[in-house]
Every structure is written in C-alpha cells, then in structure tokens.
Amino acid sequence: MIDIRKSDERGHADHGWLDTRFTFSFADYFDPKHVHFRTLRVMNDDRVAGGGGFPMHPHADMEIVTYVLEGALQHKDSMGNGSVIKPGDIQYMSAGTGVTHSEFNASKTEPVHLYQIWMFPEKKGQKPVYDQKNFSEGEKRGKLPLIASPDGREGSVKIRQDNELYATVLGEGESVKHALKPERHAYVQVARGSVKLNGTELETGDGAAITAEKTVELTGVKNAEVLLFDLK
C-alpha cells in the first residue's frame, strides 16, 4: 500500500525569514491523521532567508537529521560543535539527555533550503552525539547510497534507531530499487524534481508512506533528488 502525501496538502507557515512545509504535525500545525509515520516524527521542508535562522533552543530524546539542498547552514551546539552544512552534507544530532543548538543561514543574502528530519530514538536518556558526513552528487547519481543507519555500515552516519536513510539523484529514465523486508515500512520524500514511485508519478515536495510492499522502485522523470527511509 502506498499512501501519497501531496506537497500542497502539507502544513505551511511563513514567518518572513522562514518559509516552511510540514509533512507531519509540528509547532502550531496539527493534523491528527499526520502526526508521524512509524518512527519518523518530523519532515520539515525549510527555506531560510539570508541572515535568518533558529537561535539557541533545546531538544531531548530525538534523532535529528539535517539535509541541505541549496545554500549553507551554520550550526553551533552545547556539545561544542560548530560547522557549516552544505549540499551533500548530512548532519546528525542525537539529542539524548538534552542539547541546545542554533542553525543560521551562513549567508546574509542568499537563501538556504533544507530538510530537517526527526526520528524517535530507540532508547531515551542517552548521551548526546553529533556527526556530519558528505555524500557527493556523483555518489548518488543513478545510485541509492546508504547515508544513515543503526550500524554505520557503508560509511553511513550511525544513528540510534533501527532505521535506514538512503538518498538518490535521478535523471530522466534512471532507476533504483530497494527491497523491503516483510516487517519493514518505507517513506519516500521527493526533495526536488519528479520521479515515478512503483509507477506513480510524484513531484517536488510529495511524499509517500509505504506499507506491505516488497520493493520500492524510483525512476527519474525530471532532475530528481529523493530521500528514502526504510523504517522499523
């Protein structure tokens, strides 16, 4: 079964410096039909104007992944980490017992476009952890590399949940497949462009919750970048 969540069906907030779309209930947006999917809690499609950003704020007991599509994001946190997150980077923060952080557009003039993703942790009350790795467009072009996993295999970021995150960049006609075990679920998010998911076309911002399917097949229609979650 594939349950499609169209881009314009998502929640929306425009704060001037931040234009954001919510796949799942977040902040002032609440939809009882879309609170989370399995262990995937947040899928925010954020566009931050030049000079804008999120000042220091706390998190606890949440697995947080940031995926930048355009521009650059300046990160600082209470663990002492400071970095700039650029396209191709995946940033990971396990909030655990508690962490504060800020995320600001690294440019005063150019916007930054990113996805912020939250997953429930396997266990609560663990020590906070930070990691950041880069996966080039070449590594993703026509392929489906693993970028986050519970065991850190294949050079992926190691997370504290039995989920796997893959990313792909697909041109017209390029195709990738992912097999799902019977007890597993999947979520597909089209970050940009358009693809066919098991024959059904999805466009920029569209998502799909997948249950009881043996295979997830993505075929490029137009210059697509897609995130694929294999979920507990």
Side-chain angles (χ1 to χ4, degrees):
M1 182 177 73
I2 299 177
D3 184 14
I4 295 172
R5 179 90 154 124
K6 297 298 291 182
S7 177
D8 60 6
E9 294 172 350
R10 298 178 295 175
H12 179 230
D14 188 347
H15 301 288
W17 65 272
L18 171 66
D19 192 326
T20 182
R21 301 277 176 176
F22 310 119
T23 295
F24 304 110
S25 297
F26 189 84
D28 294 331
Y29 168 67
F30 179 72
D31 182 344
K33 295 181 180 178
H34 297 94
V35 176
H36 63 92
F37 178 67
R38 308 299 299 179
T39 51
L40 186 57
R41 173 61 186 88
V42 167
M43 180 82 68
N44 290 354
D45 182 356
D46 293 341
R47 296 176 185 269
V48 182
F54 306 89
M56 279 288 181
H57 59 283
H59 292 288
D61 290 323
M62 196 64 68
E63 301 292 281
I64 301 171
V65 170
T66 301
Y67 188 93
V68 172
L69 292 161
E70 296 176 87
L73 194 68
Q74 178 75 52
H75 168 90
K76 292 182 181 180
D77 65 46
S78 56
M79 293 181 279
N81 299 297
S83 64
V84 176
I85 312 159
K86 298 179 180 179
D89 289 341
I90 175 173
Q91 180 214 50
Y92 165 65
M93 190 170 65
S94 182
T97 53
V99 65
T100 57
H101 74 131
S102 65
E103 308 283 352
F104 277 88
N105 191 333
S107 169
K108 297 296 182 184
T109 57
E110 298 299 316
V112 58
H113 182 199
L114 64 120
Y115 269 84
Q116 186 167 99
I117 300 147
W118 296 6
M119 294 173 275
F120 294 117
E122 211 163 36
K123 296 179 182 178
K124 293 184 177 182
Q126 301 186 86
K127 182 180 178 180
V129 171
Y130 182 90
D131 198 4
Q132 184 175 332
K133 292 186 178 182
N134 182 272
F135 297 87
S136 69
E137 181 172 330
E139 292 176 87
K140 294 178 282 192
R141 171 67 63 179
K143 304 172 186 176
L144 193 64
L146 180 66
I147 64 173
S149 69
D151 55 9
R153 70 185 187 279
E154 299 173 22
S156 61
V157 170
K158 186 176 180 179
I159 63 174
R160 292 165 163 171
Q161 180 52 273
D162 188 14
N163 293 341
E164 296 173 352
L165 171 56
Y166 299 82
T168 186
V169 174
L170 298 171
E172 183 179 355
E174 292 182 316
S175 184
V176 293
K177 290 183 180 181
H178 177 71
L180 281 176
K181 294 179 180 178
E183 71 278 10
R184 302 287 290 187
H185 306 259
Y187 197 90
V188 165
Q189 182 66 40
V190 182
R192 57 181 156 203
S194 55
V195 296
K196 287 186 178 180
L197 164 62
N198 291 12
T200 299
E201 189 163 335
L202 301 179
E203 299 178 343
T204 302
D206 292 352
I210 302 166
T211 301
E213 297 283 336
K214 293 181 179 180
T215 304
V216 177
E217 183 173 5
L218 297 167
T219 302
V221 175
K222 184 179 179 181
N223 301 328
E225 187 162 1
V226 184
L227 298 175
L228 167 61
F229 299 80
D230 186 318
L231 300 167
K232 181 177 179 180

